[in-house]
Amino acid sequence: GYTVRVCTSSGEALTLFQADPQAFDLVLTDQTMPHMTGDVLAQEMRHLRPDLPIILITGYSPLIDAARMQTLGIDAFLLKPLSLHELAQAIRQILTQRREQQA
């Protein structure tokens, strides 16, 4: 039931987001990407939309931990490997929380 926009790089994702920040209900990003890590992408997007829900996924990264995640305002931090069920559950939980906060 979701409309998904897929990007193959963090730069492409940021450009797409900058074109219309309000078109996105949630961003799902990996931490380890070339040219711009997921935490940096999250910061850039948060400058444009501080209320944007963001899920960060990583297998392992010495650059990100729970404290850094909280500082960035990341809504969920998921570790690989993860199941489709875990991902779907995190997405639904975050979107439901946001909807309840706006009501």
Side-chain angles (χ1 to χ4, degrees), residues 21-74:
Q22 297 304 317
F24 297 88
D25 295 318
L26 180 137
V27 169
L28 173 65
T29 184
D30 193 54
Q31 171 60 15
T32 305
M33 297 182 290
H35 309 296
M36 185 186 322
T37 57
D39 59 328
V40 173
L41 177 63
Q43 285 180 303
E44 293 296 322
M45 290 177 163
R46 290 274 182 183
H47 288 304
L48 297 169
R49 273 229 9 236
D51 66 320
L52 179 69
I54 298 175
I55 297 174
L56 185 70
I57 299 173
T58 190
Y60 168 77
S61 176
L63 302 176
I64 193 85
D65 59 18
R68 174 105 171 108
M69 182 186 80
Q70 187 173 9
T71 300
L72 295 173
I74 301 295

Side-chain angles (χ1 to χ4, degrees), residues 77-97:
F77 181 62
L78 303 176
L79 294 173
K80 295 176 191 175
L82 69 146
S83 69
L84 186 56
H85 175 75
E86 290 172 295
L87 178 58
Q89 194 172 29
I91 291 169
R92 176 56 31 218
Q93 180 181 6
I94 290 166
L95 291 177
T96 299
Q97 286 173 351

